[in-house]
Amino acid sequence: MASGVCSTMAQALGEDLVQPGELQDDSSSLGSDSELSGPGPYRQADRYGFIGGSSAEPGPGHPPADLIRQREMKWVEMTSHWEKTMSRRYKKVKMQCRKGIPSALRARCWPLLCGAHVCQQNSRDTYQELAEAPGDPQWMETIGRDLHRQFPLHEMFVSPQGHGQQGLLQVLKAYTLYRPEQGYCQAQGPVAAVLLMYLPPEEAFWCLVQICEVYLPGYYGPHMEGVQLDAEVFTALLRRLLPRVHKHLRQAGVGPLLYLPEWFLCLFARSLPFPTVLRVWDAFLSEGVKVLFRVGLTLVRLALGTTEQRLACPGLLETLGALRAIPPTQLQEEVFMSQVHSVALSEQDLQREIKAQLVQLPASASGPPPRPQARLPGAQAIFEAQQLAGTWGATRPEVPRIVVQPPEEPRPPRRKPQTRGKTFHGLLTRSRAPRIESPTRSHRGSTSSLDTRF
């Protein structure tokens, strides 16, 4: 069962993410050194580092320069007091992430949002030890064959001996040593490559760890049980939110495992224009996997939302082609992300659907069961979990104690001594005794003070 599902996912991920035994040496890759000898226009990189890219100038709807400067100042102020910001002003962080983190500050903000900076502080020598250790030959061979496939037209990854491919090799090798039971998943390559575009290798490694273990647990292991569960959840959400599209996909024989793994496993890094990918990542690191479902639902609606679009896709191949051929004008970051955030899917709705699908999972399914409870819904939950675990700073935050003291027992009023029936000698004896302040009830009720009674 698991092997069949994994092979279906590998086919859905395309020729770049096939099984290790099917990989072939592609000397004509776009990332080879021969590309650097081509015509001049193809050697010019855009503002994101892609050679010959079309993002040299900001697109329509891009915020003006003065607005970007204002947002940069807001992020500098928030990150300078990050603990206070996350404790008291997370809603502002979420809204700023939805607007897009300024490109100059993503290297500072991404590790803070996902909690990678805390992991790095608590394990200062871990990455260095992993980077210096020899890797598993099986994984090293597979990783080496995949390096040139990750963004081959980006200036960081065009050369096999460049810092981009070498850093990617070290990060992926370190993860296989850090989690040997999981090993290497080919979908981790695009994720690690995007991280390396903005972060040094050590910070990129810890961000990759957080994504694989906190945001998307069960996604990159050998059984991919998390992807299988989320595929069923996505189908249920389609049935509820886009019933006509769901009916068309079912009639065309297009199951979620034919298109969803490439989207979710790679965090849309292979499916959207790069400026839009960055905006999706900003929101994903802030709000969690809910953003991936919203993006997926938006893409399906854009591809098959109208009757004309569905009539033009009568079969499986046409439907898959429509999902992969959405016009770029509809994927422009500002327009697209506004539609993503308007999808009627809350965190409560998602958790309710996950619980419903967990009940319906077949008991005979091979592999470990999904563990959605291990997934944290975004930056706020990660911050709170690290606070409770005492991993923020050098000491565990002190939890105030509430001490309830019982009310003091009211003292009885002081009464005038009774002298009736007592001898003069008894009165003298009591007056010469040591004075007792505020005598208790037990002394008053004792028989020793009545020894002179007749």
Side-chain angles (χ1 to χ4, degrees):
M1 175 69 180
S3 60
V5 173
C6 293
S7 62
T8 303
M9 292 181 182
Q11 294 176 4
L13 288 173
E15 61 179 1
D16 290 352
L17 295 176
V18 295
Q19 295 296 325
E22 300 174 359
L23 292 175
Q24 302 292 333
D25 184 16
D26 186 7
S27 58
S28 62
S29 169
L30 294 176
S32 62
D33 292 335
S34 60
E35 281 295 319
L36 298 180
S37 302
Y42 293 96
R43 295 197 302 269
Q44 183 177 2
D46 64 5
R47 59 194 177 104
Y48 295 105
F50 288 91
I51 300 173
S54 59
S55 299
E57 297 296 334
H62 192 272
D66 56 346
L67 181 57
I68 294 178
R69 298 296 176 267
Q70 294 178 10
R71 292 178 179 176
E72 288 177 348
M73 295 304 298
K74 289 181 180 179
W75 275 106
V76 169
E77 189 272 333
M78 290 189 300
T79 55
S80 299
H81 308 87
W82 186 248
E83 183 176 2
K84 178 180 178 181
T85 300
M86 290 298 294
S87 300
R88 305 178 184 179
R89 304 167 61 191
Y90 171 70
K91 288 186 177 180
K92 181 177 181 180
V93 174
K94 183 176 73 172
M95 295 309 299
Q96 291 298 321
C97 286
R98 289 189 175 190
K99 295 177 182 179
I101 301 175
S103 184
L105 292 174
R106 283 195 173 98
R108 182 173 183 173
C109 298
W110 280 0
L112 290 173
L113 287 170
C114 69
H117 70 299
V118 177
C119 299
Q120 183 177 351
Q121 291 174 2
N122 295 332
S123 306
R124 295 186 181 276
D125 300 327
T126 300
Y127 176 77
Q128 189 63 30
E129 296 172 357
L130 296 173
E132 295 175 355
D136 188 326
Q138 173 190 357
W139 296 125
M140 294 300 292
E141 181 182 0
T142 306
I143 294 172
R145 289 201 299 259
D146 288 344
L147 291 178
H148 71 284
R149 302 177 185 271
Q150 314 305 334
F151 300 101
L153 289 181
H154 194 278
E155 59 184 359
M156 279 186 61
F157 303 103
V158 293
S159 175
Q161 303 304 322
H163 69 282
Q165 289 196 28
Q166 292 302 309
L168 184 60
L169 175 64
Q170 293 298 321
V171 169
L172 296 176
K173 180 199 77 170
Y175 189 82
T176 62
L177 296 175
Y178 186 72
R179 289 289 182 261
E181 70 279 3
Q182 294 189 15
Y184 164 66
C185 176
Q186 290 175 318
Q188 291 173 323
V191 176
V194 174
L195 292 171
L196 284 170
M197 292 179 191
Y198 288 89
L199 302 169
E202 184 174 4
E203 293 185 18
F205 166 76
W206 288 114
C207 286
L208 180 65
V209 169
Q210 289 294 93
I211 290 174
C212 296
E213 300 184 1
V214 179
Y215 285 86
L216 302 174
Y219 263 52
Y220 302 98
H223 299 281
M224 295 183 176
E225 64 276 7
V227 182
Q228 299 179 51
L229 173 62
D230 283 350
E232 298 300 326
V233 174
F234 189 81
T235 301
L237 294 175
L238 274 177
R239 186 186 306 114
R240 179 168 65 89
L241 298 177
L242 299 170
R244 296 181 181 178
V245 176
H246 171 263
K247 181 180 179 180
H248 173 81
L249 291 173
R250 185 180 58 186
Q251 292 176 347
V254 180
L257 293 179
L258 293 178
Y259 58 90
L260 200 70
E262 181 179 1
W263 290 354
F264 280 27
L265 282 167
C266 301
L267 304 182
F268 297 94
R270 295 163 51 94
S271 309
L272 294 173
F274 194 72
T276 309
V277 170
L278 297 177
R279 292 288 299 274
V280 170
W281 280 45
D282 294 341
F284 166 72
L285 294 177
S286 171
E287 302 178 51
V289 73
K290 172 184 65 177
V291 174
L292 301 187
F293 282 94
R294 286 179 169 178
V295 174
L297 292 169
T298 303
L299 288 176
V300 172
R301 183 182 59 80
L302 291 176
L304 302 168
T306 64
T307 304
E308 293 78 9
Q309 289 174 323
R310 294 191 292 270
L311 290 176
C313 304
L316 183 145
L317 294 179
E318 295 86 355
T319 303
L320 289 177
L323 290 173
R324 296 172 177 172
I326 301 176
T329 54
Q330 298 184 21
L331 302 178
Q332 192 270 335
E333 61 265 33
E334 295 294 338
V335 176
F336 181 77
M337 293 307 296
S338 64
Q339 299 180 55
V340 167
H341 296 310
S342 65
V343 174
L345 176 64
S346 65
E347 185 65 34
Q348 291 75 17
D349 296 335
L350 181 59
Q351 295 303 323
R352 189 183 309 113
E353 197 58 55
I354 289 175
K355 292 180 181 178
Q357 295 304 317
L358 275 175
V359 176
Q360 301 178 18
L361 283 179
S364 59
S366 60
R371 296 185 305 110
Q373 65 275 9
R375 180 162 61 192
L376 296 181
Q380 186 178 30
I382 294 174
F383 173 80
E384 293 174 352
Q386 291 178 339
Q387 287 281 77
L388 291 176
T391 55
W392 185 280
T395 59
R396 183 170 181 172
E398 182 180 358
V399 179
R401 293 189 307 158
I402 301 177
V403 180
V404 180
Q405 296 180 349
E408 295 183 0
E409 185 178 356
R411 296 179 178 179
R414 188 172 182 180
R415 294 182 297 179
K416 191 174 181 180
Q418 299 290 336
T419 58
R420 295 184 63 182
K422 294 185 172 70
T423 62
F424 181 75
H425 174 73
L427 293 176
L428 290 177
T429 304
R430 292 191 61 183
S431 62
R432 293 173 183 174
R435 185 178 180 181
I436 301 176
E437 294 290 340
S438 301
T440 60
R441 292 182 179 179
S442 60
H443 290 162
R444 281 192 205 136
S446 62
T447 58
S448 59
S449 61
L450 302 177
D451 52 355
T452 58
R453 185 182 297 272
F454 285 104

